[in-house]
Amino acid sequence: MPDHTHDPQQAPPLADQLRSRGLRLTNQRQRVLAAVAALEHGTPEEIGARLRADAGPGGAAPDTSTVYRTLELLDRLGLVWHTPLGKGAPVYHAAEHPHLHVVCATCGKIESVDPGLMDGVAERLGADLGFRVDVGHVALSGTCRDCSAAAGTESP
Amino acid sequence: MPDHTHDPQQAPPLADQLRSRGLRLTNQRQRVLAAVAALEHGTPEEIGARLRADAGPGGAAPDTSTVYRTLELLDRLGLVWHTPLGKGAPVYHAAEHPHLHVVCATCGKIESVDPGLMDGVAERLGADLGFRVDVGHVALSGTCRDCSAAAGTESP
DNA sequence: CTCGTTGCAAAGGATTTGCACAAGT
DNA sequence: ACTTGTGCAAATCCTTTGCAACGAG
């Protein structure tokens, strides 16, 4: 049972995805996707900020509502993935190089991890519950090395 | 390397946790904790609804703001855990019987899974990054058996 | 030309916060 | 009595939506 859904060549670059669905390739959609890819991972707000920065002083950046709409679209197309993190801040990342997110609950730092880490768990859930884990959406929270050390040092 | 932080006896029933910090044991706090425990897992909204239901017609339920404040407090005290799920809906559950959440992205169904499932992953992250995974906050999203089947049946 | 898209502005929903009063110790 | 906690209501924050103008195919 192959099909790891990880083939780089299998996912055409936006334009094809759009055309095949009768959707249109717009400047905004390209820019949003580029911003998501440029940012290792970012919230809709951060992505909007990046777009504004990229646009420069005179240029116009896509509207906030467009960013949201586009993010949702790209997600449906499978070109980006989002992961709910702490509070109201879903983090988006490009689907090109899949990875897990590991988030420190103390300092908020986000680290990326090889998705292969979850292979065992995924297999087991599949066998056990028939549940197909979506590795692109996994976020593990906990405490990073630095914060662990800091906490341990307080009362040795 | 012991200390699984899972001893039932090690976590005193709210009252002690509060007293030891100079905080007060109030009716509301007890009720919110009870509601969280009663619901297998629920959003702040659902917990509020449950409280209103428990209060009955004439009775007064804790205010929404109190629910939020209390949930945050209980979380700090380690008596409940919250997991960010889909959109802006953190799910709270009592810390007493730890479990992972497995969420179907299609139908939204939540299933609880034995935390032991992640032991391997946790060890590896610890060794690799010095990252200590918080198993109470893990949510895995994907597709459940039913939705998988439904999707497969559409175009066979 | 014909729709899908975008910008703008306003609507919504979910949390959070300031305060004066009520309640626990 | 001394503080901490609660209810109420207003303030925020993040997202979503309606609609007329715009642009890709």
Side-chain angles (χ1 to χ4, degrees):
Chain A
M1 202 201 268
D3 176 38
H4 268 209
T5 324
H6 279 350
D7 279 44
Q9 263 60 32
Q10 190 195 334
L14 180 56
D16 296 350
Q17 284 284 316
L18 290 171
R19 296 210 169 189
S20 70
R21 305 197 183 205
L23 301 177
R24 288 165 189 177
L25 176 62
T26 66
N27 188 303
Q28 288 88 329
R29 311 239 239 228
Q30 302 182 64
R31 286 203 273 165
V32 170
L33 179 53
V36 174
L39 260 35
E40 184 72 6
H41 34 59
T43 64
E45 247 189 306
E46 293 169 334
I47 293 168
R50 170 61 174 245
L51 288 167
R52 251 164 272 127
D54 286 354
D63 188 75
T64 302
S65 63
T66 299
V67 172
Y68 279 95
R69 285 190 278 228
T70 304
L71 248 17
E72 196 198 319
L73 171 68
L74 294 176
D75 196 338
R76 264 203 312 280
L77 295 182
L79 297 173
V80 305
W81 277 318
H82 71 290
T83 312
L85 252 39
K87 296 279 173 182
V91 166
Y92 286 83
H93 63 97
E96 329 217 345
H97 41 85
H99 59 267
L100 306 179
H101 289 112
V102 172
V103 190
C104 176
T106 304
C107 68
K109 183 170 56 187
I110 302 176
E111 302 184 62
S112 300
V113 181
D114 170 36
L117 188 70
M118 294 284 298
D119 282 355
V121 173
E123 266 175 51
R124 197 126 137 228
L125 281 176
D128 262 32
L129 306 179
F131 191 91
R132 197 168 165 59
V133 179
D134 184 347
V135 188
H137 288 177
V138 175
L140 269 21
S141 88
T143 314
C144 71
R145 189 201 310 276
D146 295 347
C147 290
S148 254
T153 319
E154 281 178 30
S155 45
Chain B
M1 205 203 267
D3 176 35
H4 269 208
T5 324
H6 279 350
D7 279 46
Q9 265 60 32
Q10 189 195 333
L14 180 56
D16 297 351
Q17 283 284 318
L18 290 171
R19 296 209 168 189
S20 69
R21 305 198 184 203
L23 301 178
R24 289 163 189 179
L25 176 62
T26 67
N27 188 308
Q28 288 88 329
R29 287 175 180 173
Q30 303 180 65
R31 287 202 274 165
V32 170
L33 180 53
V36 174
L39 260 34
E40 184 73 5
H41 35 59
T43 64
E45 243 190 309
E46 293 168 333
I47 293 168
R50 170 58 173 248
L51 288 168
R52 250 165 274 127
D54 285 353
D63 187 77
T64 303
S65 63
T66 299
V67 173
Y68 279 96
R69 285 189 279 229
T70 304
L71 249 16
E72 196 198 318
L73 172 68
L74 294 176
D75 195 340
R76 264 204 310 279
L77 295 182
L79 297 173
V80 305
W81 277 320
H82 71 290
T83 311
L85 252 39
K87 296 278 171 183
V91 166
Y92 286 83
H93 62 98
E96 327 218 346
H97 39 85
H99 58 268
L100 305 179
H101 289 112
V102 172
V103 191
C104 176
T106 304
C107 68
K109 184 170 56 187
I110 302 176
E111 302 184 63
S112 299
V113 180
D114 171 35
L117 188 70
M118 293 285 299
D119 283 353
V121 172
E123 265 175 54
R124 197 126 137 229
L125 280 176
D128 260 33
L129 305 179
F131 191 92
R132 198 170 166 56
V133 179
D134 184 347
V135 187
H137 288 178
V138 175
L140 268 22
S141 88
T143 314
C144 70
R145 190 202 310 274
D146 295 348
C147 290
S148 255
T153 319
E154 280 177 33
S155 44

